[in-house]
Amino acid sequence: MCFSQISSMARQMGDSHRRFLQTMMINGITDEHSVKALYQYCCEVNKTPHVPDKLDEFIDTINSKLQAMFMQIRKGMSEVDGHQYYVLVNMAETNITRMSSDYADNELELFRKIVDLTVCSENGKVSSTDILNITDTMTTKKLKKSETEHLLSRLVQDKWLCEERGEYTLSARCIIEMEPYIRTMYQDHLKVCHICHSLAFQCQICENPTCGIKIHNPCVARYFKRRTEPRCPSCDDFWPHEIPGAFTSCKVLLHHNNTASLIFMSTTAEVEDSVAQ
Amino acid sequence: MTHRKRSFGSQSFSQNRRQSSSSGTQEDHEDSMFTQPSTSQVLRGLENLTPAQVDQKTSEVIQYLLVKDQKKIPVRRADLVKHVVKDYRNVYPEIMKRAARTFEQVFGLKLVEIDSKHHTYILINNLEAADRPPPVQCPANPKLGLLFVILGVTFMKGGVVRENVIWNTLKKLRVDSGEKHEEFGDVKRLVTEEFVRQRYLEYVRIPHTEPMEHEFRWGQRADMEVSKAKILEFMGQLHEQDPQSWTQQFREAQSSSSSQR
């Protein structure tokens, strides 16, 4: 069998691809570990040979057929745990998307406003109070307080938003699915991670006013691993934020104006916030 | 959310399906206004459109059907034409032909018309059932387990069963139709409305019963998607019996799996 025959065979969809795609459709978002297990399962059930490191090609085959329908299986990193996730995204501009069948028009309007608030926020977090306030600006049928709260819990359940202590953030699924939309809509306001170049909402920011680059928390952990003196990759100023996963006992910190201070740090967010002030 | 559901078959629609519709609904009227274009009309229509335009419209139809299928809601031709196909209605058969082909080749799904009077479509799984469950937890799984029990009991009873038999069976499994269940919520609504709307079950009133009683049957989607052999296997596991010991059902399961698809 010659090479061109083999490569054209590789581009053909078989039942293993179809089974994989059906499962991806049902789940919305799948973590990398499960995706690898699913790939193996689909090959085994279909009695086709399973080559573990050919997952990308397997998905490329599916994507080449999905392209005509403005759908793609995309991979992205979670801002929270740093792991890779796979999402079947819809890239069509029309209203016939998965979300529009689950949510009413005014609920979708509020969701877009929440995305808007998040993109323009400092730390990628939006409080429930801010969300309740913004319902006043709705042009479609305004949602009442109880309806807003119910909508928020459904958005969390459907994995579009995450909630922690009354603050809402965009989920990995949301960011991966809506990245093209966000990039187009918010060209000026966009925050991009200096390390991985993906959209950055929950991130650390360089304190140097002339620099201000952003790095995701998991990207910070990876980039600054085991460095005793973390420095901004762009302006070389001291990186003052806590490095996730780094030792949490007392540290000696040198501020960018070279004042040494001894600060006891723990990993709780409250202490980190008060130190940042 | 109720405003979204109103255009897709109510319970009375499914109950009256076999009898002629008494009063025409809005969708019936719109559908009767849509006459299937002839082959020559389609060919003429295609001449006036670029391939890209037809492809784009086809992909919109595919998207729409996939989204509705996520909820297992049947799609009426009238809605499809009104909301998606629109001015491309003169090439509607060509679009549907391409959509059906894509569903089979890319998604392993089969586009099936379950109602030739109202032209209602569903998507069924065209792939063979796997011998073991996938390693990924799917959200619909618990509900399907419940459905399988109901399908199983109905099948064992010869295809029709009075509703109290089902309620009693579920009660033995600690799923009480009268109470709110932790996992399933309103069980009665799930079984008599959601599963019926999705065409997994039929819930038909038994005439001359006072108080009103109903019976359950397999719905069209179950007939097409669910293998009777698998159900028998499931029942065998439940009762710890060899499926072959139920000779009549076993025979029926064998003959139906050869006629399925």
Side-chain angles (χ1 to χ4, degrees):
Chain A
M1 199 180 281
C2 71
F3 180 73
S4 60
Q5 279 177 307
I6 295 168
S7 59
S8 67
M9 260 175 64
R11 302 304 275 177
Q12 288 305 311
M13 276 196 73
D15 277 355
S16 54
H17 299 92
R18 294 177 190 118
R19 198 177 295 274
F20 183 89
L21 177 56
Q22 282 188 12
T23 313
M24 292 300 294
M25 273 200 314
I26 294 168
N27 279 314
I29 181 163
T30 316
D31 64 277
E32 188 169 35
H33 177 77
S34 298
V35 165
K36 287 181 174 161
L38 180 64
Y39 167 49
Q40 183 173 355
Y41 166 83
C42 292
C43 291
E44 285 172 4
V45 166
N46 198 47
K47 298 189 175 60
T48 49
H50 164 70
V51 185
D53 54 357
K54 295 275 187 219
L55 172 63
D56 285 346
E57 286 179 27
F58 184 81
I59 292 178
D60 280 346
T61 304
I62 300 172
N63 277 339
S64 68
K65 299 286 187 280
L66 287 178
Q67 207 164 342
M69 285 161 279
F70 306 99
M71 292 164 72
Q72 288 285 275
I73 296 174
R74 298 182 77 214
K75 189 166 138 179
M77 183 193 79
S78 158
E79 292 189 327
V80 175
D81 62 23
H83 294 139
Q84 294 290 321
Y85 289 83
Y86 289 76
V87 177
L88 179 61
V89 311
N90 188 312
M91 296 162 346
E93 275 303 310
T94 62
N95 285 331
I96 320 166
T97 61
R98 190 202 306 253
M99 272 197 97
S100 69
S101 85
D102 292 335
Y103 298 92
D105 286 343
N106 57 348
E107 292 174 327
L108 288 174
E109 191 203 351
L110 185 58
F111 177 69
R112 288 210 172 89
K113 284 188 184 293
I114 295 169
V115 172
D116 192 71
L117 283 173
T118 312
V119 173
C120 302
S121 73
E122 265 299 305
N123 59 359
K125 295 183 189 175
V126 178
S127 71
S128 47
T129 317
D130 291 336
I131 295 170
L132 285 166
N133 286 339
I134 207 116
T135 58
D136 290 339
T137 67
M138 285 176 71
T139 57
T140 54
K141 183 163 179 248
K142 289 198 201 331
L143 287 167
K144 294 184 271 219
K145 180 164 188 265
S146 60
E147 291 173 325
T148 305
E149 283 164 358
H150 182 58
L151 170 65
L152 287 172
S153 73
R154 277 164 55 214
L155 285 166
V156 170
Q157 194 172 34
D158 291 344
K159 298 198 181 132
W160 294 108
L161 297 178
C162 298
E163 186 267 332
E164 202 179 317
R165 289 182 284 220
E167 289 193 307
Y168 291 87
T169 51
L170 301 185
S171 69
R173 178 192 187 182
C174 183
I175 295 170
I176 294 169
E177 177 115 25
M178 297 190 69
E179 178 162 351
Y181 165 80
I182 293 172
R183 279 190 188 268
T184 317
M185 287 287 291
Y186 297 98
Q187 285 163 21
D188 304 328
H189 292 269
L190 271 188
K191 292 201 284 276
V192 171
C193 175
H194 185 84
I195 304 295
C196 74
H197 311 295
S198 300
L199 293 179
F201 298 105
Q202 296 178 74
C203 52
Q204 297 182 359
I205 305 175
C206 177
E207 304 244 304
N208 181 344
T210 62
C211 177
I213 62 151
K214 288 101 188 156
I215 307 181
H216 289 125
N217 292 316
C219 295
V220 166
R222 268 182 224 129
Y223 184 77
F224 289 121
K225 205 170 181 175
R226 282 184 236 104
R227 283 178 215 223
T228 46
E229 210 180 275
R231 296 204 154 267
C232 174
S234 178
C235 70
D236 208 39
D237 263 20
F238 181 76
W239 192 264
H241 306 288
E242 184 184 349
I243 312 300
F247 52 90
T248 58
S249 52
C250 67
K251 295 185 208 178
V252 178
L253 297 182
L254 280 164
H255 282 266
H256 65 265
N257 58 0
N258 283 321
T259 312
S261 3
L262 192 73
I263 300 172
F264 288 91
M265 291 179 74
S266 71
T267 51
T268 60
E270 290 92 28
V271 176
E272 190 184 351
D273 286 343
S274 59
V275 164
Q277 272 142 37
Chain B
M1 282 310 294
T2 48
H3 81 277
R4 243 164 226 277
K5 292 179 184 173
R6 64 158 190 254
S7 37
F8 303 105
S10 59
Q11 185 162 318
S12 60
F13 161 71
S14 64
Q15 283 175 334
N16 292 332
R17 188 167 43 78
R18 295 216 176 89
Q19 306 146 24
S20 55
S21 265
S22 39
S23 56
T25 59
Q26 170 77 0
E27 285 82 13
D28 283 347
H29 174 66
E30 281 167 354
D31 192 55
S32 64
M33 285 176 67
F34 175 77
T35 43
Q36 188 94 322
S38 68
T39 315
S40 54
Q41 281 177 310
V42 172
L43 286 171
R44 260 202 307 277
L46 285 172
E47 279 168 26
N48 293 327
L49 297 164
T50 66
Q53 283 174 311
V54 181
D55 282 343
Q56 162 82 14
K57 192 49 73 174
T58 306
S59 65
E60 284 175 26
V61 166
I62 289 168
Q63 293 263 3
Y64 184 83
L65 288 165
L66 281 174
V67 166
K68 294 302 173 203
D69 185 67
Q70 287 284 313
K71 302 273 171 202
K72 299 283 178 254
I73 299 173
V75 176
R76 303 182 81 160
R77 185 175 74 180
D79 290 322
L80 194 55
V81 171
K82 179 177 168 187
H83 294 123
V84 189
V85 179
K86 298 187 198 172
D87 334 322
Y88 287 65
R89 56 186 72 202
N90 57 337
V91 295
Y92 174 83
E94 180 62 25
I95 291 174
M96 291 312 282
K97 195 172 94 183
R98 293 186 193 194
R101 198 181 344 139
T102 306
F103 279 128
E104 276 196 45
Q105 287 177 357
V106 179
F107 296 93
L109 298 170
K110 200 163 179 187
L111 183 64
V112 178
E113 189 177 53
I114 55 167
D115 183 344
S116 52
K117 180 171 193 281
H118 293 97
H119 304 285
T120 314
Y121 295 103
I122 59 170
L123 286 170
I124 62 161
N125 201 337
N126 210 23
L127 298 175
E128 276 185 30
D131 52 355
R132 56 192 162 102
V136 183
Q137 179 63 257
C138 294
N141 281 349
K143 283 187 189 173
L144 284 182
L146 185 70
L147 174 68
F148 260 50
V149 170
I150 299 171
L151 289 175
V153 172
T154 311
F155 176 57
M156 298 310 279
K157 293 278 184 202
V160 189
V161 68
R162 292 179 95 99
E163 61 177 310
N164 57 321
V165 175
I166 296 295
W167 304 135
N168 288 336
T169 309
L170 293 185
K171 205 164 191 169
K172 282 188 211 148
L173 298 170
R174 283 192 256 265
V175 179
D176 193 333
S177 63
E179 290 170 5
K180 188 160 187 227
H181 190 263
E182 192 180 74
E183 177 79 50
F184 305 121
D186 185 343
V187 175
K188 189 140 196 271
R189 197 200 63 84
L190 171 64
V191 173
T192 64
E193 289 181 35
E194 194 171 317
F195 286 157
V196 171
R197 192 171 49 236
Q198 294 172 339
R199 304 298 203 269
Y200 282 118
L201 294 175
E202 280 182 22
Y203 182 65
V204 180
R205 188 179 162 187
I206 304 170
H208 314 302
T209 50
E210 207 63 46
M212 185 159 66
E213 266 188 72
H214 301 79
E215 56 191 21
F216 282 102
R217 290 166 200 263
W218 280 42
Q220 284 171 304
R221 188 188 292 273
D223 279 335
M224 280 185 264
E225 261 188 15
V226 183
S227 137
K228 293 196 157 72
K230 280 256 173 271
I231 286 284
L232 205 58
E233 210 180 288
F234 178 70
M235 293 309 281
Q237 287 168 5
L238 211 62
H239 294 278
E240 284 167 355
Q241 264 182 266
D242 183 353
Q244 291 204 42
S245 65
W246 297 296
T247 43
Q248 192 180 349
Q249 284 88 350
F250 188 76
R251 232 179 292 136
E252 204 196 314
Q254 298 283 58
S255 68
S256 96
S257 57
S258 53
S259 65
Q260 245 174 351
R261 312 250 157 94

